Amino acid sequence: MKYSMNFTRKEFHLQVYYLSLCLLVISLPSSRSMISVSLILLAVNWLAEGNYNEKFFKIRSNKPVLAFSGIYLVHLVGLLWTKDLVFALENDLLHKLPTLFLPWIFITTPIPDARKTRLLLFLFIASVLSVSIIGTILSIYKPLIDFREISPFIPNHYFSLMLILAAFQLPLLIRQISKNRILLVVGFLLAIWFIYFILYSRTLSGMAVFSGLIIFCLGLFIVVNKNVYWRISTLFFSGIFILAATWLLGYMWDKSSLEVETDFGSLVEFTSSGNPYNHDTLNLLRENGHLVYLYISDAELESAWNERSNMDYQGMDKGNHYLKHTLYRYMASRGQKKDREGLNTLTDKEIIAIENGITNYYYLEWPGFFIRLHQMMKGLYMYRKTDYKNPDWSTLTARMDYWKASFEAFKKYPLFGWGTGSIMQAMDYGNEIIDSAMTSRNMKPHNQYFYTLLSVGLSGFLVIMAFFSYFIFKTGVFRSFIFNILLVSCCIHCFGNHTLESQLGQNFFVLFTLIYAYFYPQLNVKKEFVY
């Protein structure tokens, strides 16, 4: 009877452990609160299970796990010189807790069998698919929804990481469990859908990550493939991809930086109806090369607008911007004067577009990710035209200011950093040095590498890299193709985001690193290991 009771208790804790992992993978794309619940369940279940002597012996004996958890220790040491202990405890150390305790739980709990591991991965993919469908439905029924809200539960740049991992993982899983070609085709079609959704949601981080992965995969194929024909073919297609991407970026830059020459000495002063034009020659904003704030006759334009639309000319458009400024920009994109004659050339479709907040007639013709690239390039153009003093034109130019401030702050304390939790003080210092418009906005670096350097300095950064490198080489997970997809994705994502400082990024990366290190090798996936 005693043996039976112990067996029952052990099985109970194993079931709670597995169900908590299931809840965690489902919650990653869909619910921050349930992520917390699943982590608490994992921790409480592990503590309630007991057997502490056996568990800590396993932990002490497992050097890769000690190295992984040592990353958290580096940030604990950073408390010794922190300038904000409260922020360090409530943010930095709290969000990084999975780095400390998840490896302990994984190494001291029996590994699920292959069937359960596959189910865990399928549940994650199913959750990602469900959220993408919900986002698509929202965009159809709310066509004016901000593209950032197409990911309805978590920020779209984190969701893009999950979409990419799901896109690569699904065909691999299907190939493992079935030789049915129809199932494999379905898997590839869903993978294409996941990638399309990234383009559909206009996520720059996701586009950058996917582009980097294409280059990585092509390079990997060249390295591991011994067939000279395939190597040459891959090099050829790699060149085509790089040239196409370069051409597209160049094309968008040319479109956004075009400057139509204007003779300010011969500007027309009156409309054909005799009303005066207003010319703001100091405003640098252009649309398709035309200065936006030239040739504006508000009296005529407002009267003509009111004849075509029920929306208030002096009010806001449906994108929550001043409607008349949206109208100025749209008409400038067509090279038209902002008067009655100019407005009367617009079609009803264009009037509706302006009401919806569309500022450029190209945006009626281009796919969403073209629009996003154009907006990014336009932001870079305006940033340059304002002598790099106004970074508010796009998220990229804002990040460029953060990075400049971060570098200045890093130079202040390069060896040990400002201390764990001192990121705001570091950024305030850097912003003041470069005289940034971002001063006092309490913004973080939006770059994981800078975030770590500012927190624990170059010494701490190198120790963290050494710990993580030791973990991946000692466990052998570096040989796994799908782990490399995860690693490369997150490394690229870290350039534009503080990926590991958030609940979502931290849990996503730590959880799947551990799954691929300890669970995935049980699936007999030798063909997916690349080295």
Side-chain angles (χ1 to χ4, degrees):
M1 178 62 71
K2 183 177 180 180
Y3 174 80
S4 177
M5 289 177 64
N6 287 338
F7 178 79
T8 302
R9 178 179 176 182
K10 181 179 179 180
E11 284 297 312
F12 171 78
H13 285 295
L14 281 175
Q15 290 299 321
V16 173
Y17 167 66
Y18 181 72
L19 291 174
S20 299
L21 286 179
C22 290
L23 178 62
L24 181 54
V25 297
I26 292 171
S27 302
L28 279 171
S30 59
S31 175
R32 294 188 186 207
S33 59
M34 293 310 295
I35 291 174
S36 299
V37 169
S38 58
L39 290 174
I40 292 171
L41 283 173
L42 283 167
V44 170
N45 179 67
W46 188 77
L47 292 171
E49 191 177 22
N51 300 324
Y52 300 126
N53 289 335
E54 180 183 345
K55 286 178 176 177
F56 286 115
F57 176 78
K58 288 182 178 180
I59 294 169
R60 289 196 307 270
S61 304
N62 194 298
K63 291 181 180 179
V65 163
L66 291 176
F68 201 107
S69 298
I71 295 171
Y72 192 82
L73 180 62
V74 174
H75 294 283
L76 278 177
V77 173
L79 292 178
L80 295 176
W81 56 94
T82 184
K83 294 172 173 54
D84 193 337
L85 180 61
V86 174
F87 188 86
L89 295 175
E90 293 182 352
N91 292 270
D92 288 31
L93 293 179
L94 179 63
H95 290 151
K96 292 182 177 69
L97 273 176
T99 302
L100 177 66
F101 74 82
L102 274 183
W104 295 3
I105 295 175
F106 266 67
I107 202 63
T108 58
T109 308
I111 296 172
D113 60 30
R115 184 180 62 84
K116 287 184 176 180
T117 298
R118 290 192 182 101
L119 177 60
L120 201 64
L121 295 170
F122 275 122
L123 285 174
F124 168 73
I125 294 168
S127 183
V128 170
L129 176 62
S130 299
V131 173
S132 69
I133 293 172
I134 292 171
T136 303
I137 293 172
L138 283 175
S139 68
I140 292 172
Y141 285 94
K142 294 175 64 178
L144 299 179
I145 190 173
D146 189 287
F147 61 87
R148 295 177 182 87
E149 298 175 15
I150 292 177
S151 171
F153 307 115
I154 63 174
N156 61 355
H157 61 93
Y158 287 114
F159 188 50
S160 68
L161 279 177
M162 301 178 194
L163 285 161
I164 286 171
L165 186 65
F168 279 90
Q169 180 69 85
L170 181 58
L172 296 177
L173 279 176
I174 292 176
R175 192 178 67 171
Q176 290 173 28
I177 64 175
S178 175
K179 295 182 179 180
N180 188 309
R181 291 186 178 182
I182 295 178
L183 279 179
L184 191 59
V185 169
V186 170
F188 276 112
L189 289 176
L190 287 175
I192 292 170
W193 163 254
F194 291 145
I195 299 305
Y196 169 76
F197 192 85
I198 294 172
L199 302 178
Y200 181 66
S201 61
R202 310 181 194 180
T203 313
L204 282 180
S205 293
M207 295 181 204
V209 169
F210 183 64
S211 299
L213 281 175
I214 290 177
I215 296 172
F216 169 76
C217 290
L218 290 172
L220 186 63
F221 187 81
I222 292 170
V223 170
V224 301
N225 198 295
K226 305 302 181 183
N227 187 297
V228 175
Y229 170 79
W230 283 110
R231 283 188 171 187
I232 294 174
S233 299
T234 304
L235 280 172
F236 175 74
F237 285 111
S238 299
I240 290 178
F241 173 78
I242 293 171
L243 286 174
T246 303
W247 174 84
L248 178 60
L249 292 174
Y251 175 77
M252 287 301 173
W253 173 255
D254 289 342
K255 287 290 185 182
S256 61
S257 62
L258 178 67
E259 296 184 3
V260 175
E261 188 174 348
T262 304
D263 184 359
F264 293 107
S266 60
L267 294 175
V268 177
E269 296 184 9
F270 297 95
T271 70
S272 60
S273 300
N275 295 304
Y277 280 123
N278 178 48
H279 301 293
D280 183 352
T281 58
L282 299 180
N283 195 306
L284 301 175
L285 181 62
R286 294 177 183 266
E287 290 292 344
N288 300 342
H290 300 281
L291 286 165
V292 171
Y293 289 93
L294 299 183
Y295 293 106
I296 296 176
S297 175
D298 266 316
E300 279 192 23
L301 199 57
E302 182 171 9
S303 174
W305 174 263
N306 290 336
E307 294 171 6
R308 301 284 301 276
S309 171
N310 293 323
M311 292 191 70
D312 184 6
Y313 177 81
Q314 300 292 344
M316 312 296 283
D317 62 32
K318 293 179 182 178
N320 204 33
H321 299 100
Y322 287 106
L323 187 144
K324 66 178 182 180
H325 293 287
T326 301
L327 179 58
Y328 296 162
R329 292 180 65 181
Y330 188 92
M331 295 181 71
S333 77
R334 284 206 168 278
Q336 296 168 335
K337 295 180 174 65
K338 277 68 76 178
D339 55 18
R340 176 178 290 275
E341 286 185 5
L343 189 132
N344 286 339
T345 64
L346 301 181
T347 65
D348 290 341
K349 179 182 177 181
E350 289 176 303
I351 294 295
I352 293 172
I354 294 164
E355 292 175 340
N356 290 338
I358 304 299
T359 58
N360 192 306
Y361 80 92
Y362 285 146
Y363 297 172
L364 297 180
E365 306 166 358
W366 284 348
F369 75 97
F370 271 43
I371 296 172
R372 190 80 171 101
L373 287 176
H374 184 263
Q375 291 170 338
M376 179 188 74
M377 290 298 184
K378 188 175 186 61
L380 287 172
Y381 165 77
M382 293 302 299
Y383 190 46
R384 190 185 70 171
K385 293 295 288 186
T386 57
D387 295 324
Y388 306 99
K389 294 297 183 183
N390 186 353
D392 286 328
W393 286 100
S394 74
T395 56
L396 177 60
T397 52
R399 280 168 166 77
M400 291 171 70
D401 244 39
Y402 302 150
W403 300 338
K404 288 192 292 184
S406 297
F407 183 66
E408 293 298 328
F410 169 69
K411 290 193 298 183
K412 178 74 172 176
Y413 301 116
L415 190 57
F416 297 108
W418 290 67
T420 302
S422 305
I423 197 69
M424 295 305 183
Q425 290 80 358
M427 291 301 294
D428 286 344
Y429 172 84
N431 281 324
E432 289 178 7
I433 292 295
I434 67 172
D435 191 25
S436 172
M438 298 294 181
T439 302
S440 302
R441 295 194 189 182
N442 293 324
M443 299 302 292
K444 298 175 183 178
H446 281 74
N447 180 294
Q448 182 63 51
Y449 307 106
F450 270 130
Y451 198 110
T452 305
L453 288 168
L454 292 178
S455 297
V456 293
L458 184 60
S459 59
F461 181 86
L462 292 176
V463 171
I464 289 171
M465 291 296 101
F467 278 152
F468 187 69
S469 298
Y470 181 85
F471 173 84
I472 64 174
F473 280 100
K474 289 296 288 185
T475 58
V477 71
F478 74 96
R479 297 188 182 94
S480 170
F481 171 73
I482 192 63
F483 170 74
N484 280 285
I485 294 298
L486 171 70
L487 182 61
V488 172
S489 296
C490 288
C491 285
I492 297 173
H493 191 266
C494 283
F495 279 104
N497 305 277
H498 32 81
T499 311
L500 304 180
E501 305 304 322
S502 69
Q503 178 198 40
L504 291 166
Q506 173 75 196
N507 284 286
F508 172 71
F509 182 70
V510 171
L511 176 65
F512 278 95
T513 295
L514 295 173
I515 287 175
Y516 292 136
Y518 294 112
F519 293 3
Y520 207 65
Q522 311 300 315
L523 304 186
N524 190 25
V525 288
K526 292 181 180 179
K527 291 184 179 180
E528 292 173 24
F529 282 69
V530 297
Y531 299 115

